[in-house]
Amino acid sequence: MCELFGLSATNPIHAEEPLCELRRHGGLTADNPDGWGLTWWGDGVFQLAKEPLPAHQSGLFQRLCGTVRSSLIIAHIRKAKFPPVNTLDNTHPFQRTCCGKGWVFAHNGLVPDIVGMEQANTCPICQPSGETDSEYAFCHLLSHIAEATRHTPDADSAAPFTTVAAVSELIASHGQFNFLLSDGEYLIAYGHDHLHYQEQSNSAMIATEPLSGDENWVAFAPRELRVYRSGRMVFTSHQCKC
């Protein structure tokens, strides 16, 4: 299956060890040979690199593992399912603009019904450039985020997260929906059925599979949304700690 990795930290840091392990999972030690992507926050925008190649064979990914230093990182290695087509446009993470911000998204799972659901959307925020159910799900989430932002007072900062949790649960009811989403400030992680987190004093990591022998990885509760800002959790759909 595809695998995700996310990092939120108080200050820019390196994540060489977990990224290198994720890279090995990209077709060497696990069956995820259909592309890789890495995005990180730098100079006020998302930097994005991706290739429709096995991660473990990519010299670019190898270099980035050692050089990327950021307070917010999302990485993905792909096992192509819907569709089973390996192209750059189908490679995660995906990037779009919504509500005056740049957003990135990466998904693990299979939710083919979302394609028809989003195609029926009469006011879409974006159009997928590829063919994946994942990118359709991304656009669907952004449409709901835009709607929540328009109708919610700025003071209610948790409202967009509540909206994302509700929409994610709906999408998850049509298949498998684990994802990482970010606007450059928040790292939003939804663990439908397979996601883990590890928290330290000034940073937090999210991964599909624990990326080290460290026993401090904790499984998400089923269908839990967790939101981090600068390395600290600010929202969970199971118990708000805002």
Side-chain angles (χ1 to χ4, degrees):
M1 64 179 175
C2 302
E3 291 189 36
L4 303 166
F5 171 76
L7 168 75
S8 173
T10 305
N11 298 300
I13 60 175
H14 290 288
E16 183 173 6
E17 183 176 350
L19 285 175
C20 284
E21 185 172 346
L22 183 73
R23 177 176 173 266
R24 290 191 290 271
H25 289 195
L28 182 62
T29 60
D31 185 24
N32 303 294
D34 301 317
W36 67 272
L38 176 64
T39 185
W40 64 99
W41 187 253
D43 298 325
V45 297
F46 277 113
Q47 312 292 329
L48 176 65
K50 57 183 182 179
E51 296 175 312
L53 306 170
H56 82 279
Q57 295 179 0
S58 172
L60 175 59
F61 196 3
Q62 184 178 30
R63 291 192 298 274
L64 291 173
C65 287
T67 59
V68 165
R69 185 173 180 271
S70 178
S71 59
L72 202 158
I73 296 172
I74 291 178
H76 182 274
I77 52 175
R78 183 172 183 244
K79 171 68 174 178
K81 293 180 181 179
F82 188 94
V85 178
N86 189 13
T87 66
L88 185 62
D89 283 342
N90 289 341
T91 306
H92 309 220
F94 305 105
Q95 188 171 23
R96 288 292 186 277
T97 299
C98 175
C99 309
K101 300 178 180 180
W103 294 78
V104 293
F105 174 87
H107 166 228
N108 164 34
L110 190 64
V111 285
D113 290 351
I114 194 61
V115 175
M117 293 167 61
E118 178 57 19
Q119 288 176 338
N121 185 354
T122 57
C123 299
I125 288 296
C126 60
Q127 295 292 334
S129 57
E131 308 158 90
T132 64
D133 57 336
S134 303
E135 194 176 8
Y136 275 93
F138 181 28
C139 291
H140 197 73
L141 280 171
L142 290 182
S143 290
H144 283 277
I145 290 171
E147 186 71 14
T149 301
R150 282 195 295 268
H151 297 288
T152 303
D154 292 341
D156 189 1
S157 60
F161 305 142
T162 303
T163 295
V164 171
V167 176
S168 299
E169 186 164 345
L170 174 62
I171 296 173
S173 69
H174 292 269
Q176 185 184 33
F177 196 50
N178 304 284
F179 69 78
L180 297 176
L181 171 72
S182 180
D183 63 352
E185 180 177 4
Y186 297 101
L187 176 63
I188 303 169
Y190 183 72
H192 172 199
D193 62 355
H194 202 105
L195 213 56
H196 297 79
Y197 66 90
Q198 183 188 91
E199 297 176 348
Q200 299 180 356
S201 60
N202 294 312
S203 66
M205 291 192 295
I206 310 292
T208 302
E209 301 287 351
L211 290 174
S212 71
D214 195 320
E215 297 180 356
N216 292 328
W217 289 93
V218 181
F220 276 52
R223 299 192 177 190
E224 180 181 10
L225 185 85
R226 300 177 72 88
V227 181
Y228 293 87
R229 181 179 184 272
S230 298
R232 296 180 175 87
M233 189 178 71
V234 296
F235 177 89
T236 170
S237 58
H238 281 48
Q239 180 183 356
C240 183
K241 297 181 180 179
C242 301

